[in-house]
Coordinates of all heavy atoms in Angstrom, one line a residue:
M19 N 88.0 175.4 3.1 CA 87.3 174.7 4.2 C 86.2 173.9 3.6 O 85.4 174.4 2.8 CB 86.8 175.7 5.2 CG 85.9 175.1 6.2 SD 85.1 176.4 7.2 CE 85.8 176.0 8.8
T20 N 86.2 172.6 3.9 CA 85.1 171.7 3.3 C 84.1 171.4 4.4 O 84.3 171.6 5.6 CB 85.7 170.4 2.8 OG1 86.4 169.7 3.8 CG2 86.7 170.6 1.6
L21 N 83.0 170.9 4.0 CA 81.9 170.6 4.9 C 82.3 169.5 5.8 O 82.9 168.5 5.4 CB 80.7 170.1 4.0 CG 79.3 170.1 4.6 CD1 78.9 171.5 5.1 CD2 78.4 169.5 3.7
P22 N 82.1 169.6 7.1 CA 82.5 168.6 8.1 C 81.8 167.3 7.8 O 80.6 167.3 7.6 CB 82.1 169.1 9.4 CG 82.0 170.6 9.3 CD 81.6 170.8 7.8
R23 N 82.5 166.2 7.8 CA 81.9 164.9 7.5 C 80.8 164.5 8.5 O 79.8 163.8 8.1 CB 82.9 163.7 7.5 CG 83.8 163.8 6.3 CD 84.9 162.7 6.3 NE 84.4 161.4 6.5 CZ 84.1 160.6 5.5 NH1 84.2 161.0 4.3 NH2 83.7 159.3 5.8
Y24 N 80.9 164.9 9.8 CA 79.9 164.5 10.8 C 78.5 165.1 10.4 O 77.5 164.6 10.9 CB 80.3 164.9 12.2 CG 80.3 166.4 12.5 CD1 79.1 167.0 12.9 CD2 81.5 167.1 12.4 CE1 79.2 168.4 13.2 CE2 81.5 168.5 12.6 CZ 80.4 169.1 13.1 OH 80.4 170.4 13.4
L25 N 78.4 166.1 9.6 CA 77.1 166.7 9.2 C 76.5 165.8 8.1 O 75.3 165.9 7.8 CB 77.3 168.1 8.7 CG 77.7 169.1 9.7 CD1 77.9 170.5 9.1 CD2 76.6 169.3 10.8
L26 N 77.3 165.0 7.4 CA 76.8 164.2 6.3 C 76.3 162.9 6.8 O 77.0 161.9 6.7 CB 77.9 164.1 5.2 CG 78.4 165.4 4.7 CD1 79.6 165.2 3.7 CD2 77.3 166.3 4.1
R27 N 75.1 162.8 7.4 CA 74.6 161.6 8.1 C 73.9 160.6 7.3 O 73.6 159.5 7.7 CB 73.7 162.1 9.2 CG 74.4 163.0 10.2 CD 73.5 163.3 11.4 NE 74.3 164.0 12.4 CZ 74.9 163.5 13.4 NH1 74.9 162.2 13.5 NH2 75.6 164.2 14.3
H28 N 73.6 160.9 6.0 CA 72.9 160.0 5.1 C 73.8 159.4 4.1 O 74.9 160.0 3.8 CB 71.7 160.7 4.5 CG 70.7 161.3 5.5 ND1 70.6 162.7 5.6 CD2 69.9 160.7 6.4 CE1 69.7 162.9 6.6 NE2 69.3 161.7 7.1
R29 N 73.3 158.4 3.4 CA 74.0 157.8 2.2 C 73.0 157.9 1.0 O 71.9 157.4 1.2 CB 74.5 156.4 2.5 CG 75.3 156.2 3.7 CD 76.7 156.1 3.3 NE 77.5 155.8 4.5 CZ 78.8 156.2 4.6 NH1 79.3 156.8 3.6 NH2 79.4 155.9 5.6
I30 N 73.5 158.3 -0.1 CA 72.8 158.3 -1.3 C 73.5 157.6 -2.4 O 74.7 157.4 -2.3 CB 72.4 159.7 -1.8 CG1 73.7 160.5 -2.1 CG2 71.5 160.5 -0.8 CD1 73.4 161.9 -2.8
T31 N 72.8 157.1 -3.4 CA 73.4 156.5 -4.6 C 73.0 157.2 -5.8 O 71.9 157.6 -6.0 CB 73.0 155.0 -4.7 OG1 73.3 154.3 -3.4 CG2 73.8 154.3 -5.8
I32 N 74.0 157.5 -6.7 CA 73.7 158.3 -7.9 C 74.0 157.5 -9.1 O 75.0 156.8 -9.2 CB 74.7 159.6 -7.9 CG1 74.4 160.4 -6.7 CG2 74.5 160.4 -9.2 CD1 75.3 161.6 -6.5
Q33 N 73.0 157.5 -10.1 CA 73.2 157.0 -11.4 C 73.3 158.2 -12.3 O 72.3 158.9 -12.6 CB 72.0 156.1 -11.9 CG 72.0 154.8 -11.3 CD 70.9 154.0 -11.9 OE1 69.7 154.1 -11.4 NE2 71.2 153.2 -12.9
R34 N 74.5 158.5 -12.7 CA 74.8 159.7 -13.5 C 74.1 159.7 -14.8 O 74.1 158.6 -15.5 CB 76.3 160.0 -13.7 CG 76.9 160.4 -12.4 CD 78.4 160.6 -12.6 NE 79.1 159.5 -13.1 CZ 79.8 159.4 -14.2 NH1 80.0 160.5 -14.9 NH2 80.4 158.3 -14.6
Y35 N 73.5 160.8 -15.2 CA 72.8 160.9 -16.5 C 73.8 160.9 -17.6 O 74.8 161.6 -17.6 CB 72.0 162.2 -16.5 CG 71.3 162.5 -17.8 CD1 70.2 161.7 -18.2 CD2 71.7 163.5 -18.7 CE1 69.5 162.0 -19.4 CE2 71.0 163.8 -19.9 CZ 69.9 163.0 -20.2 OH 69.3 163.2 -21.4
R36 N 73.6 160.1 -18.6 CA 74.6 159.9 -19.7 C 74.1 160.6 -21.0 O 74.9 161.0 -21.8 CB 74.7 158.4 -20.0 CG 75.8 158.0 -20.8 CD 76.0 156.5 -20.8 NE 77.0 156.1 -21.7 CZ 77.4 154.9 -21.9 NH1 76.8 153.9 -21.2 NH2 78.3 154.6 -22.8
G37 N 72.8 160.7 -21.2 CA 72.2 161.3 -22.4 C 70.9 160.6 -22.8 O 70.4 159.8 -22.1
E38 N 70.5 161.0 -23.9 CA 69.2 160.4 -24.5 C 69.6 159.3 -25.4 O 70.4 159.4 -26.3 CB 68.4 161.5 -25.2 CG 67.8 162.5 -24.3 CD 66.7 161.9 -23.3 OE1 65.9 161.0 -23.7 OE2 66.7 162.3 -22.1
G39 N 68.8 158.2 -25.3 CA 69.0 157.1 -26.1 C 67.7 156.9 -27.1 O 66.8 157.8 -27.0
P40 N 67.7 155.9 -27.8 CA 66.5 155.8 -28.7 C 65.2 155.5 -28.0 O 64.1 155.8 -28.6 CB 66.9 154.5 -29.6 CG 67.9 153.9 -28.8 CD 68.6 154.8 -28.0
V41 N 65.2 155.0 -26.8 CA 64.0 154.8 -26.1 C 63.9 155.7 -24.8 O 63.1 155.4 -23.9 CB 63.8 153.3 -25.7 CG1 63.6 152.5 -27.0 CG2 65.0 152.8 -24.9
G42 N 64.7 156.7 -24.6 CA 64.6 157.6 -23.4 C 66.0 157.8 -22.8 O 67.0 157.5 -23.4
P43 N 66.0 158.3 -21.6 CA 67.2 158.6 -20.9 C 68.1 157.4 -20.7 O 67.6 156.3 -20.4 CB 66.8 159.2 -19.6 CG 65.3 159.3 -19.6 CD 64.8 158.6 -20.7
V44 N 69.4 157.6 -20.7 CA 70.4 156.6 -20.5 C 71.3 157.0 -19.3 O 71.7 158.2 -19.2 CB 71.3 156.3 -21.7 CG1 72.4 155.3 -21.4 CG2 70.5 156.0 -22.9
Y45 N 71.6 156.1 -18.4 CA 72.3 156.4 -17.2 C 73.5 155.5 -17.1 O 73.6 154.4 -17.6 CB 71.4 156.2 -16.0 CG 70.2 157.0 -16.0 CD1 69.0 156.5 -16.5 CD2 70.2 158.3 -15.5 CE1 67.9 157.3 -16.5 CE2 69.1 159.1 -15.5 CZ 67.9 158.6 -16.0 OH 66.7 159.3 -16.0
W46 N 74.6 156.0 -16.4 CA 75.7 155.1 -16.1 C 75.3 154.2 -14.9 O 74.4 154.5 -14.2 CB 76.9 156.0 -15.6 CG 77.5 156.8 -16.7 CD1 77.3 158.2 -16.9 CD2 78.4 156.4 -17.7 NE1 78.0 158.6 -18.0 CE2 78.7 157.5 -18.5 CE3 79.0 155.2 -18.0 CZ2 79.5 157.5 -19.5 CZ3 79.9 155.1 -19.1 CH2 80.1 156.2 -19.8
P47 N 76.0 153.1 -14.7 CA 75.7 152.2 -13.6 C 75.8 153.0 -12.3 O 76.5 153.9 -12.2 CB 76.7 151.1 -13.6 CG 77.2 151.1 -15.0 CD 77.1 152.5 -15.5
P48 N 75.1 152.5 -11.2 CA 75.2 153.3 -9.9 C 76.6 153.3 -9.4 O 77.3 152.3 -9.5 CB 74.2 152.5 -9.0 CG 73.4 151.6 -9.9 CD 74.2 151.5 -11.2
G49 N 76.9 154.4 -8.8 CA 78.3 154.5 -8.2 C 78.2 154.0 -6.7 O 77.2 153.6 -6.3
D50 N 79.3 154.2 -6.0 CA 79.3 153.8 -4.6 C 78.5 154.8 -3.8 O 78.3 156.0 -4.3 CB 80.8 153.9 -4.1 CG 81.7 152.9 -4.7 OD1 81.2 151.8 -5.0 OD2 82.9 153.1 -4.8
P51 N 78.0 154.4 -2.7 CA 77.2 155.3 -1.9 C 78.0 156.6 -1.5 O 79.2 156.5 -1.3 CB 76.9 154.5 -0.6 CG 77.0 153.1 -1.1 CD 78.0 153.0 -2.1
V52 N 77.3 157.7 -1.5 CA 77.9 159.0 -1.2 C 77.3 159.5 0.1 O 76.1 159.5 0.3 CB 77.6 160.0 -2.3 CG1 78.2 161.4 -2.0 CG2 78.2 159.5 -3.6
R53 N 78.2 160.1 1.0 CA 77.8 160.7 2.2 C 77.1 162.0 1.9 O 77.6 162.8 1.1 CB 78.9 160.9 3.2 CG 79.5 159.6 3.7 CD 80.7 159.9 4.5 NE 80.4 160.7 5.7 CZ 80.3 160.2 6.9 NH1 80.5 158.9 7.2 NH2 79.9 161.0 8.0
A54 N 75.9 162.3 2.5 CA 75.2 163.5 2.2 C 74.3 163.8 3.4 O 74.1 163.0 4.3 CB 74.4 163.3 1.0
L55 N 73.7 165.0 3.3 CA 72.7 165.5 4.2 C 71.5 165.7 3.4 O 71.4 166.5 2.5 CB 73.1 166.8 5.0 CG 72.1 167.3 6.0 CD1 71.9 166.3 7.1 CD2 72.5 168.6 6.5
V56 N 70.4 164.9 3.7 CA 69.2 164.9 2.9 C 68.0 165.5 3.7 O 67.8 165.2 4.8 CB 68.8 163.5 2.4 CG1 67.6 163.5 1.6 CG2 70.0 162.9 1.6
S57 N 67.3 166.5 3.0 CA 66.1 167.1 3.6 C 65.0 166.9 2.6 O 65.0 167.4 1.5 CB 66.3 168.5 3.9 OG 65.1 169.2 4.2
E58 N 64.0 166.0 3.0 CA 62.9 165.8 2.1 C 61.8 166.7 2.4 O 61.0 166.5 3.3 CB 62.5 164.3 2.2 CG 63.5 163.4 1.6 CD 63.0 162.0 1.4 OE1 62.0 161.8 0.6 OE2 63.5 161.1 2.0
R59 N 61.7 167.8 1.7 CA 60.6 168.8 1.9 C 60.3 169.5 0.6 O 61.2 169.5 -0.3 CB 61.0 169.8 3.0 CG 61.9 170.9 2.6 CD 62.1 171.9 3.7 NE 62.2 173.2 3.1 CZ 62.4 174.3 3.7 NH1 62.5 174.3 5.0 NH2 62.6 175.4 3.1
V60 N 59.1 169.9 0.4 CA 58.6 170.5 -0.9 C 59.0 172.0 -0.9 O 58.8 172.7 0.0 CB 57.1 170.2 -1.0 CG1 56.6 170.9 -2.3 CG2 56.8 168.8 -0.9
R61 N 59.5 172.4 -2.1 CA 59.8 173.8 -2.3 C 59.8 174.0 -3.8 O 60.0 173.1 -4.6 CB 61.1 174.2 -1.7 CG 62.3 173.6 -2.2 CD 63.6 174.1 -1.6 NE 63.6 173.4 -0.2 CZ 64.5 173.6 0.6 NH1 65.6 174.4 0.4 NH2 64.5 173.0 1.8
T62 N 59.7 175.2 -4.3 CA 59.8 175.6 -5.7 C 61.2 176.0 -6.0 O 61.8 176.9 -5.3 CB 58.8 176.7 -6.0 OG1 57.5 176.3 -5.6 CG2 58.8 177.0 -7.5
V63 N 61.7 175.5 -7.1 CA 63.1 175.8 -7.6 C 63.0 176.0 -9.1 O 62.0 175.7 -9.7 CB 64.2 174.8 -7.2 CG1 64.3 174.7 -5.7 CG2 63.8 173.4 -7.8
R64 N 64.1 176.4 -9.7 CA 64.2 176.5 -11.1 C 65.1 175.4 -11.6 O 66.1 175.1 -11.0 CB 64.8 177.8 -11.6 CG 63.9 179.0 -11.2 CD 64.2 180.2 -12.0 NE 63.3 181.3 -11.7 CZ 62.1 181.5 -12.3 NH1 61.7 180.8 -13.2 NH2 61.4 182.6 -11.9
D65 N 64.7 174.7 -12.7 CA 65.5 173.6 -13.3 C 66.5 174.2 -14.2 O 66.7 175.4 -14.3 CB 64.6 172.6 -13.9 CG 63.9 173.1 -15.2 OD1 64.2 174.2 -15.6 OD2 63.1 172.3 -15.7
R66 N 67.2 173.3 -14.9 CA 68.3 173.7 -15.8 C 67.9 174.6 -16.9 O 68.7 175.3 -17.5 CB 69.1 172.5 -16.3 CG 68.2 171.6 -17.2 CD 69.0 170.3 -17.6 NE 68.1 169.4 -18.1 CZ 67.6 169.5 -19.4 NH1 68.0 170.4 -20.1 NH2 66.8 168.5 -19.9
T67 N 66.5 174.6 -17.3 CA 66.1 175.4 -18.4 C 65.5 176.8 -17.9 O 65.2 177.6 -18.7 CB 65.0 174.7 -19.1 OG1 63.8 174.5 -18.3 CG2 65.4 173.4 -19.7
G68 N 65.5 176.9 -16.5 CA 64.9 178.1 -16.0 C 63.5 178.1 -15.6 O 62.9 179.0 -15.0
A69 N 62.8 176.9 -15.9 CA 61.4 176.8 -15.6 C 61.2 176.5 -14.0 O 62.0 175.8 -13.4 CB 60.8 175.6 -16.3
E70 N 60.1 177.0 -13.5 CA 59.9 176.7 -12.1 C 59.3 175.3 -12.0 O 58.4 174.9 -12.7 CB 58.8 177.7 -11.5 CG 59.4 179.0 -11.2 CD 58.5 179.9 -10.4 OE1 57.3 179.5 -10.1 OE2 58.9 181.0 -10.0
V71 N 59.9 174.5 -11.0 CA 59.5 173.1 -10.8 C 59.4 172.9 -9.3 O 59.9 173.7 -8.5 CB 60.4 172.1 -11.5 CG1 60.4 172.2 -13.0 CG2 61.8 172.4 -11.0
I72 N 58.8 171.8 -9.0 CA 58.7 171.5 -7.5 C 59.7 170.5 -7.1 O 59.9 169.5 -7.8 CB 57.3 170.8 -7.2 CG1 56.2 171.8 -7.5 CG2 57.2 170.4 -5.8 CD1 56.1 173.1 -6.7
S73 N 60.5 170.8 -6.1 CA 61.6 170.0 -5.6 C 61.0 169.3 -4.3 O 60.5 170.0 -3.5 CB 62.8 170.7 -5.3 OG 63.8 169.9 -4.6
T74 N 61.3 168.0 -4.1 CA 60.8 167.3 -2.9 C 62.0 166.8 -2.1 O 61.8 166.3 -1.0 CB 59.9 166.1 -3.3 OG1 60.7 165.2 -4.0 CG2 58.7 166.5 -4.0
A75 N 63.2 167.1 -2.5 CA 64.4 166.7 -1.7 C 65.5 167.7 -2.0 O 65.8 168.1 -3.2 CB 64.8 165.3 -2.0
Q76 N 66.2 168.1 -0.9 CA 67.4 168.9 -1.0 C 68.6 168.0 -0.5 O 68.4 167.4 0.6 CB 67.3 170.2 -0.2 CG 68.6 171.0 -0.3 CD 68.5 172.2 0.7 OE1 67.7 172.2 1.6 NE2 69.4 173.1 0.6
I77 N 69.7 167.9 -1.2 CA 70.8 167.2 -0.8 C 72.0 168.1 -0.8 O 72.3 168.8 -1.7 CB 71.0 166.0 -1.9 CG1 69.8 165.2 -2.0 CG2 72.3 165.2 -1.6 CD1 69.7 164.4 -3.3
I78 N 72.8 168.0 0.3 CA 74.0 168.7 0.5 C 75.1 167.6 0.6 O 75.0 166.7 1.5 CB 73.9 169.6 1.7 CG1 72.9 170.7 1.5 CG2 75.3 170.3 1.9 CD1 72.6 171.6 2.6
A79 N 76.2 167.8 -0.2 CA 77.2 166.8 -0.1 C 78.6 167.6 -0.2 O 78.6 168.8 -0.3 CB 77.1 165.9 -1.3
A80 N 79.6 166.8 -0.2 CA 81.0 167.4 -0.2 C 81.2 168.1 -1.6 O 80.5 167.8 -2.5 CB 82.0 166.3 0.0
P81 N 82.1 169.0 -1.7 CA 82.4 169.7 -2.9 C 82.9 168.7 -4.0 O 83.5 167.7 -3.6 CB 83.5 170.7 -2.6 CG 83.9 170.4 -1.3 CD 83.0 169.5 -0.6
G82 N 82.6 168.9 -5.2 CA 83.0 168.1 -6.3 C 82.1 166.9 -6.6 O 82.5 166.0 -7.3
L83 N 80.9 166.9 -6.0 CA 80.0 165.8 -6.3 C 79.7 165.7 -7.8 O 79.3 166.7 -8.3 CB 78.7 166.0 -5.5 CG 77.6 164.9 -5.7 CD1 78.0 163.6 -5.0 CD2 76.3 165.4 -5.1
D84 N 79.8 164.5 -8.3 CA 79.6 164.3 -9.8 C 78.1 163.9 -9.9 O 77.8 162.7 -9.8 CB 80.5 163.3 -10.3 CG 80.4 163.2 -11.9 OD1 79.8 164.1 -12.5 OD2 81.0 162.3 -12.4
C85 N 77.2 164.8 -10.1 CA 75.8 164.6 -10.2 C 75.2 165.6 -11.2 O 74.6 166.6 -10.9 CB 75.1 164.7 -8.9 SG 73.3 164.3 -8.9
P86 N 75.3 165.2 -12.5 CA 74.7 166.1 -13.5 C 73.2 166.2 -13.4 O 72.6 165.3 -12.9 CB 75.1 165.5 -14.9 CG 75.9 164.3 -14.6 CD 75.9 164.1 -13.1
P87 N 72.6 167.3 -13.8 CA 71.1 167.4 -13.8 C 70.5 166.2 -14.6 O 71.2 165.7 -15.5 CB 70.8 168.7 -14.5 CG 72.0 169.5 -14.2 CD 73.2 168.6 -14.2
Q88 N 69.4 165.7 -14.2 CA 68.7 164.6 -14.7 C 69.2 163.2 -14.3 O 68.7 162.2 -14.7 CB 68.6 164.6 -16.3 CG 67.9 165.8 -16.8 CD 67.7 165.8 -18.3 OE1 67.3 164.8 -18.8 NE2 68.1 166.9 -18.9
S89 N 70.2 163.2 -13.4 CA 70.8 162.0 -12.8 C 69.7 161.4 -11.9 O 68.9 162.1 -11.3 CB 72.0 162.2 -12.1 OG 73.1 162.6 -13.0
R90 N 69.7 160.1 -11.7 CA 68.9 159.4 -10.8 C 69.5 159.3 -9.5 O 70.7 159.0 -9.4 CB 68.5 157.9 -11.3 CG 67.5 157.9 -12.3 CD 67.2 156.4 -12.4 NE 66.6 156.1 -13.7 CZ 66.5 155.0 -14.3 NH1 67.0 153.9 -13.7 NH2 65.9 154.8 -15.5
I91 N 68.8 159.6 -8.4 CA 69.3 159.5 -7.0 C 68.5 158.6 -6.2 O 67.3 158.8 -6.1 CB 69.4 160.9 -6.4 CG1 70.3 161.9 -7.3 CG2 70.0 160.9 -5.0 CD1 70.2 163.3 -6.9
T92 N 69.1 157.7 -5.5 CA 68.4 156.9 -4.5 C 68.6 157.5 -3.1 O 69.7 157.6 -2.7 CB 68.8 155.4 -4.6 OG1 68.7 154.9 -5.9 CG2 68.0 154.6 -3.6
L93 N 67.6 157.9 -2.5 CA 67.6 158.6 -1.2 C 67.6 157.5 -0.1 O 67.3 156.4 -0.3 CB 66.4 159.5 -1.0 CG 66.2 160.6 -2.1 CD1 65.0 161.3 -1.9 CD2 67.4 161.6 -2.1
P94 N 68.0 157.9 1.1 CA 68.1 157.0 2.2 C 66.7 156.3 2.5 O 66.7 155.1 2.9 CB 68.4 157.8 3.5 CG 69.1 159.1 2.9 CD 68.5 159.3 1.5
S95 N 65.6 156.9 2.2 CA 64.3 156.3 2.3 C 64.0 155.2 1.3 O 63.0 154.5 1.4 CB 63.2 157.4 2.2 OG 63.2 158.0 0.9
G96 N 64.9 155.1 0.3 CA 64.7 154.2 -0.8 C 64.0 154.7 -2.0 O 63.9 154.1 -3.1
R97 N 63.5 156.0 -1.9 CA 62.8 156.6 -3.0 C 63.9 157.0 -4.0 O 64.9 157.5 -3.7 CB 62.1 157.8 -2.5 CG 61.3 158.5 -3.5 CD 60.4 159.6 -3.0 NE 61.1 160.7 -2.3 CZ 61.3 161.9 -3.0 NH1 60.9 162.1 -4.2 NH2 61.9 162.9 -2.3
I98 N 63.5 156.8 -5.3 CA 64.4 157.2 -6.4 C 63.8 158.5 -7.0 O 62.6 158.6 -7.3 CB 64.4 156.1 -7.5 CG1 65.1 154.8 -6.9 CG2 65.3 156.5 -8.7 CD1 65.1 153.6 -7.8
T99 N 64.7 159.5 -7.1 CA 64.3 160.8 -7.6 C 65.3 161.2 -8.7 O 66.2 160.5 -9.0 CB 64.2 161.8 -6.4 OG1 63.7 163.0 -6.9 CG2 65.6 162.0 -5.8
T100 N 65.0 162.4 -9.3 CA 65.8 162.9 -10.4 C 66.4 164.3 -10.0 O 65.7 165.1 -9.5 CB 65.0 163.0 -11.7 OG1 64.4 161.8 -12.0 CG2 65.8 163.5 -12.8
A101 N 67.7 164.5 -10.3 CA 68.3 165.8 -10.0 C 67.8 166.8 -10.9 O 67.8 166.7 -12.2 CB 69.8 165.7 -10.1
L102 N 67.3 167.9 -10.4 CA 66.8 169.1 -11.1 C 67.8 170.1 -11.3 O 68.0 170.7 -12.4 CB 65.5 169.7 -10.4 CG 64.3 168.8 -10.3 CD1 63.3 169.5 -9.3 CD2 63.7 168.6 -11.6
H103 N 68.5 170.5 -10.3 CA 69.4 171.6 -10.3 C 70.6 171.3 -9.3 O 70.4 170.8 -8.2 CB 68.8 172.9 -9.8 CG 69.7 174.0 -9.7 ND1 70.1 174.8 -10.8 CD2 70.2 174.6 -8.6 CE1 70.8 175.7 -10.4 NE2 70.9 175.7 -9.1
V104 N 71.8 171.5 -9.8 CA 73.0 171.2 -9.0 C 73.9 172.5 -8.9 O 74.1 173.2 -9.9 CB 73.9 170.1 -9.7 CG1 75.1 169.8 -8.8 CG2 73.1 168.9 -9.9
A105 N 74.2 172.8 -7.7 CA 75.0 174.1 -7.5 C 76.2 173.8 -6.6 O 76.1 173.2 -5.6 CB 74.1 175.1 -6.8
A106 N 77.3 174.3 -7.0 CA 78.6 174.2 -6.2 C 78.7 175.5 -5.4 O 78.6 176.6 -5.9 CB 79.8 174.0 -7.1
H107 N 78.8 175.4 -4.1 CA 78.9 176.6 -3.2 C 80.4 176.7 -2.8 O 80.9 175.8 -2.0 CB 78.0 176.4 -2.0 CG 76.6 176.4 -2.3 ND1 75.9 177.5 -2.8 CD2 75.7 175.4 -2.3 CE1 74.7 177.2 -3.0 NE2 74.5 175.9 -2.8
T108 N 81.0 177.7 -3.2 CA 82.4 177.9 -2.8 C 82.5 179.4 -2.4 O 81.8 180.3 -2.8 CB 83.4 177.7 -4.0 OG1 83.1 178.6 -5.1 CG2 83.3 176.3 -4.5
A109 N 83.5 179.7 -1.5 CA 83.7 181.0 -1.0 C 85.2 181.1 -0.8 O 85.6 181.1 0.4 CB 82.9 181.3 0.2
P110 N 86.0 181.2 -1.8 CA 87.5 181.3 -1.7 C 87.8 182.4 -0.7 O 87.4 183.6 -0.9 CB 88.0 181.6 -3.1 CG 86.9 181.1 -4.0 CD 85.6 181.4 -3.2
G111 N 88.7 182.1 0.3 CA 89.2 183.1 1.1 C 88.3 183.4 2.4 O 88.7 184.1 3.3
L112 N 87.0 182.8 2.4 CA 86.2 183.0 3.5 C 86.1 181.7 4.3 O 86.2 180.7 3.8 CB 84.8 183.4 3.0 CG 84.6 184.7 2.3 CD1 83.2 184.9 1.8 CD2 85.0 185.9 3.2
P113 N 85.9 181.9 5.7 CA 85.9 180.7 6.5 C 84.5 180.0 6.6 O 83.9 179.8 7.6 CB 86.2 181.3 7.9 CG 85.7 182.7 7.8 CD 85.9 183.1 6.4
V114 N 83.9 179.7 5.4 CA 82.7 179.0 5.3 C 82.9 177.7 4.5 O 83.7 177.7 3.6 CB 81.6 179.9 4.7 CG1 81.3 181.0 5.5 CG2 81.9 180.3 3.3
P115 N 82.2 176.7 4.9 CA 82.5 175.4 4.2 C 82.0 175.3 2.7 O 81.0 175.9 2.4 CB 81.7 174.3 5.0 CG 80.7 175.1 5.9 CD 81.2 176.5 5.9
Q116 N 82.8 174.7 1.9 CA 82.4 174.5 0.5 C 81.5 173.2 0.5 O 81.7 172.3 1.2 CB 83.6 174.3 -0.3 CG 84.5 175.5 -0.3 CD 85.7 175.2 -1.2 OE1 85.8 174.4 -2.0 NE2 86.8 176.0 -1.0
S117 N 80.5 173.2 -0.5 CA 79.7 172.1 -0.6 C 79.0 172.1 -2.0 O 79.2 173.0 -2.7 CB 78.6 172.1 0.5 OG 77.7 173.2 0.3
T118 N 78.3 171.0 -2.3 CA 77.5 170.9 -3.5 C 76.1 170.6 -3.0 O 75.8 169.8 -2.2 CB 78.0 169.6 -4.3 OG1 79.4 169.8 -4.7 CG2 77.2 169.6 -5.6
E119 N 75.2 171.4 -3.6 CA 73.8 171.3 -3.3 C 73.0 170.8 -4.5 O 73.2 171.3 -5.6 CB 73.3 172.7 -2.9 CG 71.8 172.7 -2.4 CD 71.4 174.1 -1.9 OE1 71.9 175.1 -2.5 OE2 70.6 174.1 -1.0
V120 N 72.1 169.8 -4.3 CA 71.3 169.2 -5.4 C 69.8 169.3 -4.9 O 69.5 168.9 -3.9 CB 71.7 167.8 -5.6 CG1 70.8 167.1 -6.7 CG2 73.1 167.6 -5.9
F121 N 69.0 169.9 -5.9 CA 67.6 169.9 -5.7 C 67.1 168.8 -6.5 O 67.4 168.7 -7.7 CB 67.0 171.2 -6.0 CG 67.3 172.3 -5.1 CD1 68.3 173.2 -5.3 CD2 66.6 172.4 -3.9 CE1 68.6 174.2 -4.4 CE2 66.8 173.4 -2.9 CZ 67.8 174.3 -3.2
A122 N 66.2 167.9 -6.0 CA 65.7 166.7 -6.7 C 64.2 166.8 -6.7 O 63.5 167.3 -5.9 CB 66.2 165.5 -6.1
E123 N 63.6 166.1 -7.8 CA 62.2 166.0 -8.0 C 61.5 165.4 -6.7 O 62.1 164.5 -6.1 CB 61.8 165.1 -9.1 CG 61.9 165.8 -10.4 CD 61.4 164.9 -11.6 OE1 61.4 163.7 -11.5 OE2 61.1 165.5 -12.6

């Protein structure tokens, strides 16, 4: 069971993180807009290294969202943020929706 589309009321744009270049981070070109549910609120989460960081946006999207940590995300408000932690939520055999959750700076 996947997340119902009617819950994904926002559109975000993702520039996937490609790696480090000689002058800093390198990103792929922005992809097509992605349907998502965005909640801009402050909370403490752990990043990919396990350090506690402050997240100012939580994004829920359909399963299989291609958004590696450190990717740039343009939110519906126009604010550009960085993905801190990405989690795939699956529950095989249970009647709950599958989704991808992204915590952003």
Side-chain angles (χ1 to χ4, degrees):
M19 170 187 246
T20 60
L21 196 62
R23 286 179 55 91
Y24 70 87
L25 292 176
L26 307 177
R27 299 187 174 267
H28 302 114
R29 303 257 185 209
I30 61 170
T31 305
I32 299 172
Q33 281 184 278
R34 292 181 299 124
Y35 178 71
R36 193 170 174 179
E38 289 295 321
V41 292
V44 178
Y45 301 93
W46 291 101
D50 293 331
V52 175
R53 293 175 63 104
L55 181 62
V56 178
S57 171
E58 292 192 61
R59 75 175 217 182
V60 177
R61 66 180 74 181
T62 304
V63 297
R64 295 201 180 269
D65 67 6
R66 63 186 170 75
T67 64
E70 281 191 356
V71 293
I72 301 297
S73 169
T74 61
Q76 177 189 16
I77 300 161
I78 297 175
L83 178 69
D84 188 11
C85 181
Q88 299 185 49
S89 294
R90 280 190 200 160
I91 303 168
T92 303
L93 300 175
S95 64
R97 183 168 68 96
I98 298 175
T99 186
T100 304
L102 297 170
H103 177 75
V104 180
H107 296 290
T108 62
L112 296 177
V114 295
Q116 298 179 21
S117 63
T118 302
E119 183 176 35
V120 180
F121 288 99
E123 278 184 344

